[in-house]
PDB file of all heavy atoms in Angstrom:
ATOM      1  N   ARG A   1     -14.563  -9.316  15.729  1.00 94.00           N
ATOM      2  CA  ARG A   1     -14.285  -8.264  16.715  1.00 94.00           C
ATOM      3  C   ARG A   1     -14.530  -6.918  16.059  1.00 94.00           C
ATOM      4  O   ARG A   1     -13.588  -6.286  15.539  1.00 94.00           O
ATOM      5  CB  ARG A   1     -12.849  -8.388  17.221  1.00 94.00           C
ATOM      6  CG  ARG A   1     -12.453  -7.333  18.238  1.00 94.00           C
ATOM      7  CD  ARG A   1     -11.267  -7.796  19.067  1.00 94.00           C
ATOM      8  NE  ARG A   1     -10.568  -6.727  19.751  1.00 94.00           N
ATOM      9  CZ  ARG A   1     -11.061  -5.999  20.762  1.00 94.00           C
ATOM     10  NH1 ARG A   1     -12.291  -6.190  21.178  1.00 94.00           N
ATOM     11  NH2 ARG A   1     -10.328  -5.055  21.328  1.00 94.00           N
ATOM     12  N   PRO A   2     -15.771  -6.435  16.052  1.00 96.00           N
ATOM     13  CA  PRO A   2     -16.103  -5.186  15.346  1.00 96.00           C
ATOM     14  C   PRO A   2     -15.354  -3.960  15.870  1.00 96.00           C
ATOM     15  O   PRO A   2     -15.178  -2.991  15.130  1.00 96.00           O
ATOM     16  CB  PRO A   2     -17.609  -5.045  15.572  1.00 96.00           C
ATOM     17  CG  PRO A   2     -18.093  -6.437  15.838  1.00 96.00           C
ATOM     18  CD  PRO A   2     -16.977  -7.100  16.579  1.00 96.00           C
ATOM     19  N   ALA A   3     -14.884  -4.012  17.113  1.00 97.00           N
ATOM     20  CA  ALA A   3     -14.172  -2.865  17.682  1.00 97.00           C
ATOM     21  C   ALA A   3     -12.714  -2.794  17.278  1.00 97.00           C
ATOM     22  O   ALA A   3     -12.007  -1.839  17.620  1.00 97.00           O
ATOM     23  CB  ALA A   3     -14.277  -2.884  19.210  1.00 97.00           C
ATOM     24  N   LEU A   4     -12.244  -3.790  16.530  1.00 98.00           N
ATOM     25  CA  LEU A   4     -10.835  -3.822  16.130  1.00 98.00           C
ATOM     26  C   LEU A   4     -10.508  -2.699  15.155  1.00 98.00           C
ATOM     27  O   LEU A   4     -11.266  -2.414  14.225  1.00 98.00           O
ATOM     28  CB  LEU A   4     -10.529  -5.174  15.466  1.00 98.00           C
ATOM     29  CG  LEU A   4      -9.101  -5.348  14.938  1.00 98.00           C
ATOM     30  CD1 LEU A   4      -8.094  -5.388  16.086  1.00 98.00           C
ATOM     31  CD2 LEU A   4      -9.005  -6.610  14.084  1.00 98.00           C
ATOM     32  N   ILE A   5      -9.356  -2.087  15.342  1.00 98.00           N
ATOM     33  CA  ILE A   5      -8.824  -1.121  14.381  1.00 98.00           C
ATOM     34  C   ILE A   5      -7.733  -1.829  13.607  1.00 98.00           C
ATOM     35  O   ILE A   5      -6.711  -2.242  14.168  1.00 98.00           O
ATOM     36  CB  ILE A   5      -8.308   0.135  15.108  1.00 98.00           C
ATOM     37  CG1 ILE A   5      -9.487   0.863  15.736  1.00 98.00           C
ATOM     38  CG2 ILE A   5      -7.551   1.047  14.141  1.00 98.00           C
ATOM     39  CD1 ILE A   5      -9.105   1.882  16.758  1.00 98.00           C
ATOM     40  N   TYR A   6      -7.972  -1.986  12.314  1.00 98.00           N
ATOM     41  CA  TYR A   6      -7.121  -2.783  11.450  1.00 98.00           C
ATOM     42  C   TYR A   6      -6.467  -1.862  10.443  1.00 98.00           C
ATOM     43  O   TYR A   6      -7.135  -1.240   9.638  1.00 98.00           O
ATOM     44  CB  TYR A   6      -7.963  -3.834  10.743  1.00 98.00           C
ATOM     45  CG  TYR A   6      -7.192  -4.896   9.985  1.00 98.00           C
ATOM     46  CD1 TYR A   6      -6.997  -6.162  10.521  1.00 98.00           C
ATOM     47  CD2 TYR A   6      -6.671  -4.640   8.718  1.00 98.00           C
ATOM     48  CE1 TYR A   6      -6.316  -7.150   9.829  1.00 98.00           C
ATOM     49  CE2 TYR A   6      -5.986  -5.613   8.018  1.00 98.00           C
ATOM     50  CZ  TYR A   6      -5.810  -6.871   8.569  1.00 98.00           C
ATOM     51  OH  TYR A   6      -5.133  -7.836   7.877  1.00 98.00           O
ATOM     52  N   CYS A   7      -5.137  -1.761  10.501  1.00 98.00           N
ATOM     53  CA  CYS A   7      -4.401  -0.830   9.647  1.00 98.00           C
ATOM     54  C   CYS A   7      -3.541  -1.591   8.659  1.00 98.00           C
ATOM     55  O   CYS A   7      -2.611  -2.309   9.057  1.00 98.00           O
ATOM     56  CB  CYS A   7      -3.528   0.090  10.501  1.00 98.00           C
ATOM     57  SG  CYS A   7      -2.541   1.255   9.538  1.00 98.00           S
ATOM     58  N   SER A   8      -3.847  -1.430   7.370  1.00 98.00           N
ATOM     59  CA  SER A   8      -3.056  -2.037   6.300  1.00 98.00           C
ATOM     60  C   SER A   8      -2.166  -0.989   5.664  1.00 98.00           C
ATOM     61  O   SER A   8      -2.635   0.109   5.321  1.00 98.00           O
ATOM     62  CB  SER A   8      -3.966  -2.638   5.225  1.00 98.00           C
ATOM     63  OG  SER A   8      -4.668  -3.742   5.720  1.00 98.00           O
ATOM     64  N   ILE A   9      -0.901  -1.321   5.484  1.00 98.00           N
ATOM     65  CA  ILE A   9       0.042  -0.435   4.796  1.00 98.00           C
ATOM     66  C   ILE A   9       0.568  -1.172   3.574  1.00 98.00           C
ATOM     67  O   ILE A   9       1.122  -2.265   3.680  1.00 98.00           O
ATOM     68  CB  ILE A   9       1.201  -0.045   5.732  1.00 98.00           C
ATOM     69  CG1 ILE A   9       0.669   0.767   6.926  1.00 98.00           C
ATOM     70  CG2 ILE A   9       2.256   0.757   4.972  1.00 98.00           C
ATOM     71  CD1 ILE A   9       1.712   1.128   7.955  1.00 98.00           C
ATOM     72  N   THR A  10       0.381  -0.576   2.398  1.00 98.00           N
ATOM     73  CA  THR A  10       0.847  -1.168   1.154  1.00 98.00           C
ATOM     74  C   THR A  10       1.514  -0.095   0.316  1.00 98.00           C
ATOM     75  O   THR A  10       1.494   1.082   0.658  1.00 98.00           O
ATOM     76  CB  THR A  10      -0.335  -1.769   0.365  1.00 98.00           C
ATOM     77  OG1 THR A  10      -1.301  -0.733   0.133  1.00 98.00           O
ATOM     78  CG2 THR A  10      -0.979  -2.917   1.119  1.00 98.00           C
ATOM     79  N   GLY A  11       2.088  -0.526  -0.805  1.00 98.00           N
ATOM     80  CA  GLY A  11       2.729   0.443  -1.685  1.00 98.00           C
ATOM     81  C   GLY A  11       1.726   1.365  -2.361  1.00 98.00           C
ATOM     82  O   GLY A  11       1.953   2.575  -2.489  1.00 98.00           O
ATOM     83  N   PHE A  12       0.572   0.784  -2.788  1.00 98.00           N
ATOM     84  CA  PHE A  12      -0.333   1.548  -3.649  1.00 98.00           C
ATOM     85  C   PHE A  12      -1.776   1.551  -3.180  1.00 98.00           C
ATOM     86  O   PHE A  12      -2.639   2.098  -3.877  1.00 98.00           O
ATOM     87  CB  PHE A  12      -0.245   0.984  -5.071  1.00 98.00           C
ATOM     88  CG  PHE A  12       1.138   1.086  -5.659  1.00 98.00           C
ATOM     89  CD1 PHE A  12       2.017   0.013  -5.587  1.00 98.00           C
ATOM     90  CD2 PHE A  12       1.573   2.255  -6.249  1.00 98.00           C
ATOM     91  CE1 PHE A  12       3.308   0.111  -6.113  1.00 98.00           C
ATOM     92  CE2 PHE A  12       2.863   2.360  -6.768  1.00 98.00           C
ATOM     93  CZ  PHE A  12       3.710   1.283  -6.705  1.00 98.00           C
ATOM     94  N   GLY A  13      -2.072   0.989  -2.026  1.00 98.00           N
ATOM     95  CA  GLY A  13      -3.431   0.989  -1.531  1.00 98.00           C
ATOM     96  C   GLY A  13      -4.172  -0.282  -1.877  1.00 98.00           C
ATOM     97  O   GLY A  13      -3.701  -1.135  -2.640  1.00 98.00           O
ATOM     98  N   GLN A  14      -5.357  -0.426  -1.299  1.00 97.00           N
ATOM     99  CA  GLN A  14      -6.147  -1.653  -1.432  1.00 97.00           C
ATOM    100  C   GLN A  14      -6.877  -1.735  -2.770  1.00 97.00           C
ATOM    101  O   GLN A  14      -7.344  -2.806  -3.154  1.00 97.00           O
ATOM    102  CB  GLN A  14      -7.161  -1.725  -0.288  1.00 97.00           C
ATOM    103  CG  GLN A  14      -6.546  -1.808   1.088  1.00 97.00           C
ATOM    104  CD  GLN A  14      -5.756  -3.076   1.301  1.00 97.00           C
ATOM    105  OE1 GLN A  14      -6.259  -4.180   1.078  1.00 97.00           O
ATOM    106  NE2 GLN A  14      -4.513  -2.943   1.747  1.00 97.00           N
ATOM    107  N   GLU A  15      -6.992  -0.643  -3.490  1.00 97.00           N
ATOM    108  CA  GLU A  15      -7.706  -0.631  -4.748  1.00 97.00           C
ATOM    109  C   GLU A  15      -6.914   0.147  -5.793  1.00 97.00           C
ATOM    110  O   GLU A  15      -6.023   0.915  -5.447  1.00 97.00           O
ATOM    111  CB  GLU A  15      -9.099   0.001  -4.584  1.00 97.00           C
ATOM    112  CG  GLU A  15     -10.002  -0.733  -3.605  1.00 97.00           C
ATOM    113  CD  GLU A  15     -11.322  -0.020  -3.420  1.00 97.00           C
ATOM    114  OE1 GLU A  15     -11.381   1.194  -3.732  1.00 97.00           O
ATOM    115  OE2 GLU A  15     -12.293  -0.664  -2.988  1.00 97.00           O
ATOM    116  N   GLY A  16      -7.282  -0.020  -7.065  1.00 98.00           N
ATOM    117  CA  GLY A  16      -6.632   0.709  -8.141  1.00 98.00           C
ATOM    118  C   GLY A  16      -5.786  -0.205  -9.010  1.00 98.00           C
ATOM    119  O   GLY A  16      -5.494  -1.348  -8.651  1.00 98.00           O
ATOM    120  N   PRO A  17      -5.344   0.291 -10.178  1.00 98.00           N
ATOM    121  CA  PRO A  17      -4.618  -0.554 -11.129  1.00 98.00           C
ATOM    122  C   PRO A  17      -3.275  -1.044 -10.624  1.00 98.00           C
ATOM    123  O   PRO A  17      -2.738  -2.017 -11.155  1.00 98.00           O
ATOM    124  CB  PRO A  17      -4.465   0.367 -12.352  1.00 98.00           C
ATOM    125  CG  PRO A  17      -4.629   1.760 -11.829  1.00 98.00           C
ATOM    126  CD  PRO A  17      -5.596   1.648 -10.709  1.00 98.00           C
ATOM    127  N   TYR A  18      -2.682  -0.376  -9.630  1.00 98.00           N
ATOM    128  CA  TYR A  18      -1.379  -0.798  -9.112  1.00 98.00           C
ATOM    129  C   TYR A  18      -1.479  -1.536  -7.785  1.00 98.00           C
ATOM    130  O   TYR A  18      -0.462  -1.835  -7.157  1.00 98.00           O
ATOM    131  CB  TYR A  18      -0.467   0.408  -8.901  1.00 98.00           C
ATOM    132  CG  TYR A  18      -0.206   1.261 -10.115  1.00 98.00           C
ATOM    133  CD1 TYR A  18       0.244   2.575  -9.970  1.00 98.00           C
ATOM    134  CD2 TYR A  18      -0.388   0.776 -11.413  1.00 98.00           C
ATOM    135  CE1 TYR A  18       0.501   3.374 -11.071  1.00 98.00           C
ATOM    136  CE2 TYR A  18      -0.152   1.570 -12.530  1.00 98.00           C
ATOM    137  CZ  TYR A  18       0.298   2.865 -12.352  1.00 98.00           C
ATOM    138  OH  TYR A  18       0.541   3.653 -13.433  1.00 98.00           O
ATOM    139  N   ALA A  19      -2.702  -1.828  -7.332  1.00 97.00           N
ATOM    140  CA  ALA A  19      -2.892  -2.332  -5.967  1.00 97.00           C
ATOM    141  C   ALA A  19      -2.092  -3.599  -5.667  1.00 97.00           C
ATOM    142  O   ALA A  19      -1.610  -3.772  -4.545  1.00 97.00           O
ATOM    143  CB  ALA A  19      -4.375  -2.578  -5.693  1.00 97.00           C
ATOM    144  N   THR A  20      -1.908  -4.447  -6.662  1.00 96.00           N
ATOM    145  CA  THR A  20      -1.220  -5.713  -6.386  1.00 96.00           C
ATOM    146  C   THR A  20       0.291  -5.605  -6.478  1.00 96.00           C
ATOM    147  O   THR A  20       1.002  -6.575  -6.189  1.00 96.00           O
ATOM    148  CB  THR A  20      -1.689  -6.799  -7.382  1.00 96.00           C
ATOM    149  OG1 THR A  20      -1.421  -6.369  -8.728  1.00 96.00           O
ATOM    150  CG2 THR A  20      -3.191  -7.065  -7.217  1.00 96.00           C
ATOM    151  N   ARG A  21       0.816  -4.449  -6.863  1.00 96.00           N
ATOM    152  CA  ARG A  21       2.263  -4.290  -6.961  1.00 96.00           C
ATOM    153  C   ARG A  21       2.908  -4.168  -5.576  1.00 96.00           C
ATOM    154  O   ARG A  21       2.328  -3.613  -4.650  1.00 96.00           O
ATOM    155  CB  ARG A  21       2.615  -3.028  -7.759  1.00 96.00           C
ATOM    156  CG  ARG A  21       2.241  -3.053  -9.218  1.00 96.00           C
ATOM    157  CD  ARG A  21       2.781  -1.798  -9.889  1.00 96.00           C
ATOM    158  NE  ARG A  21       2.366  -1.692 -11.270  1.00 96.00           N
ATOM    159  CZ  ARG A  21       2.730  -0.689 -12.079  1.00 96.00           C
ATOM    160  NH1 ARG A  21       3.532   0.277 -11.632  1.00 96.00           N
ATOM    161  NH2 ARG A  21       2.311  -0.646 -13.329  1.00 96.00           N
ATOM    162  N   ALA A  22       4.140  -4.635  -5.484  1.00 93.00           N
ATOM    163  CA  ALA A  22       4.922  -4.398  -4.275  1.00 93.00           C
ATOM    164  C   ALA A  22       5.423  -2.951  -4.299  1.00 93.00           C
ATOM    165  O   ALA A  22       5.743  -2.413  -5.359  1.00 93.00           O
ATOM    166  CB  ALA A  22       6.095  -5.354  -4.201  1.00 93.00           C
ATOM    167  N   GLY A  23       5.478  -2.332  -3.143  1.00 94.00           N
ATOM    168  CA  GLY A  23       5.928  -0.943  -3.060  1.00 94.00           C
ATOM    169  C   GLY A  23       7.220  -0.823  -2.293  1.00 94.00           C
ATOM    170  O   GLY A  23       7.361  -1.383  -1.203  1.00 94.00           O
ATOM    171  N   TYR A  24       8.184  -0.102  -2.857  1.00 96.00           N
ATOM    172  CA  TYR A  24       9.460   0.136  -2.196  1.00 96.00           C
ATOM    173  C   TYR A  24       9.701   1.647  -2.153  1.00 96.00           C
ATOM    174  O   TYR A  24       9.390   2.363  -3.107  1.00 96.00           O
ATOM    175  CB  TYR A  24      10.601  -0.564  -2.942  1.00 96.00           C
ATOM    176  CG  TYR A  24      10.488  -2.063  -2.901  1.00 96.00           C
ATOM    177  CD1 TYR A  24       9.782  -2.743  -3.894  1.00 96.00           C
ATOM    178  CD2 TYR A  24      11.047  -2.794  -1.864  1.00 96.00           C
ATOM    179  CE1 TYR A  24       9.666  -4.133  -3.849  1.00 96.00           C
ATOM    180  CE2 TYR A  24      10.939  -4.178  -1.820  1.00 96.00           C
ATOM    181  CZ  TYR A  24      10.248  -4.845  -2.819  1.00 96.00           C
ATOM    182  OH  TYR A  24      10.124  -6.205  -2.772  1.00 96.00           O
ATOM    183  N   ASP A  25      10.262   2.095  -1.067  1.00 98.00           N
ATOM    184  CA  ASP A  25      10.423   3.523  -0.840  1.00 98.00           C
ATOM    185  C   ASP A  25      11.065   4.235  -2.031  1.00 98.00           C
ATOM    186  O   ASP A  25      10.583   5.267  -2.484  1.00 98.00           O
ATOM    187  CB  ASP A  25      11.251   3.759   0.430  1.00 98.00           C
ATOM    188  CG  ASP A  25      11.498   5.233   0.709  1.00 98.00           C
ATOM    189  OD1 ASP A  25      12.486   5.779   0.173  1.00 98.00           O
ATOM    190  OD2 ASP A  25      10.707   5.830   1.447  1.00 98.00           O
ATOM    191  N   PHE A  26      12.163   3.714  -2.536  1.00 98.00           N
ATOM    192  CA  PHE A  26      12.904   4.337  -3.634  1.00 98.00           C
ATOM    193  C   PHE A  26      12.001   4.499  -4.872  1.00 98.00           C
ATOM    194  O   PHE A  26      11.926   5.567  -5.489  1.00 98.00           O
ATOM    195  CB  PHE A  26      14.117   3.477  -3.963  1.00 98.00           C
ATOM    196  CG  PHE A  26      15.149   4.132  -4.846  1.00 98.00           C
ATOM    197  CD1 PHE A  26      15.029   5.435  -5.291  1.00 98.00           C
ATOM    198  CD2 PHE A  26      16.264   3.411  -5.248  1.00 98.00           C
ATOM    199  CE1 PHE A  26      15.985   6.022  -6.114  1.00 98.00           C
ATOM    200  CE2 PHE A  26      17.239   3.977  -6.067  1.00 98.00           C
ATOM    201  CZ  PHE A  26      17.077   5.285  -6.505  1.00 98.00           C
ATOM    202  N   LEU A  27      11.299   3.419  -5.219  1.00 98.00           N
ATOM    203  CA  LEU A  27      10.400   3.493  -6.374  1.00 98.00           C
ATOM    204  C   LEU A  27       9.299   4.522  -6.149  1.00 98.00           C
ATOM    205  O   LEU A  27       8.922   5.262  -7.073  1.00 98.00           O
ATOM    206  CB  LEU A  27       9.779   2.122  -6.624  1.00 98.00           C
ATOM    207  CG  LEU A  27      10.726   0.967  -6.946  1.00 98.00           C
ATOM    208  CD1 LEU A  27       9.943  -0.327  -7.146  1.00 98.00           C
ATOM    209  CD2 LEU A  27      11.570   1.290  -8.166  1.00 98.00           C
ATOM    210  N   ILE A  28       8.783   4.565  -4.934  1.00 98.00           N
ATOM    211  CA  ILE A  28       7.685   5.492  -4.637  1.00 98.00           C
ATOM    212  C   ILE A  28       8.168   6.933  -4.722  1.00 98.00           C
ATOM    213  O   ILE A  28       7.460   7.813  -5.240  1.00 98.00           O
ATOM    214  CB  ILE A  28       7.089   5.199  -3.252  1.00 98.00           C
ATOM    215  CG1 ILE A  28       6.469   3.789  -3.222  1.00 98.00           C
ATOM    216  CG2 ILE A  28       6.063   6.248  -2.871  1.00 98.00           C
ATOM    217  CD1 ILE A  28       5.317   3.581  -4.156  1.00 98.00           C
ATOM    218  N   GLN A  29       9.367   7.221  -4.235  1.00 98.00           N
ATOM    219  CA  GLN A  29       9.876   8.589  -4.342  1.00 98.00           C
ATOM    220  C   GLN A  29       9.930   9.030  -5.793  1.00 98.00           C
ATOM    221  O   GLN A  29       9.652  10.181  -6.128  1.00 98.00           O
ATOM    222  CB  GLN A  29      11.267   8.698  -3.711  1.00 98.00           C
ATOM    223  CG  GLN A  29      11.273   8.625  -2.185  1.00 98.00           C
ATOM    224  CD  GLN A  29      12.604   9.061  -1.602  1.00 98.00           C
ATOM    225  OE1 GLN A  29      13.203  10.038  -2.048  1.00 98.00           O
ATOM    226  NE2 GLN A  29      13.066   8.355  -0.583  1.00 98.00           N
ATOM    227  N   GLY A  30      10.288   8.098  -6.680  1.00 98.00           N
ATOM    228  CA  GLY A  30      10.309   8.421  -8.105  1.00 98.00           C
ATOM    229  C   GLY A  30       8.906   8.590  -8.672  1.00 98.00           C
ATOM    230  O   GLY A  30       8.610   9.576  -9.358  1.00 98.00           O
ATOM    231  N   MET A  31       8.014   7.636  -8.401  1.00 98.00           N
ATOM    232  CA  MET A  31       6.683   7.679  -8.976  1.00 98.00           C
ATOM    233  C   MET A  31       5.855   8.841  -8.455  1.00 98.00           C
ATOM    234  O   MET A  31       5.003   9.378  -9.169  1.00 98.00           O
ATOM    235  CB  MET A  31       5.958   6.361  -8.686  1.00 98.00           C
ATOM    236  CG  MET A  31       6.549   5.163  -9.365  1.00 98.00           C
ATOM    237  SD  MET A  31       5.639   3.641  -9.021  1.00 98.00           S
ATOM    238  CE  MET A  31       4.116   3.973  -9.923  1.00 98.00           C
ATOM    239  N   ALA A  32       6.094   9.253  -7.214  1.00 98.00           N
ATOM    240  CA  ALA A  32       5.298  10.316  -6.600  1.00 98.00           C
ATOM    241  C   ALA A  32       5.785  11.713  -6.948  1.00 98.00           C
ATOM    242  O   ALA A  32       5.212  12.696  -6.485  1.00 98.00           O
ATOM    243  CB  ALA A  32       5.302  10.140  -5.076  1.00 98.00           C
TER     244      ALA A  32
END
């Protein structure tokens, strides 16, 4: 279905050295 809009939400994004980590709000407030 090429017209589909597919939205992924993760802790650190689909790419990068942290991509496979789980993201939690508290941790992100500290890291950011």
Side-chain angles (χ1 to χ4, degrees):
R1 180 158 162 68
L4 178 67
I5 293 164
Y6 190 101
C7 178
S8 292
I9 297 176
T10 57
F12 299 95
Q14 297 296 307
E15 299 177 340
Y18 302 160
T20 59
R21 294 186 185 181
Y24 295 90
D25 179 273
F26 193 3
L27 300 179
I28 297 297
Q29 288 193 42
M31 293 181 70

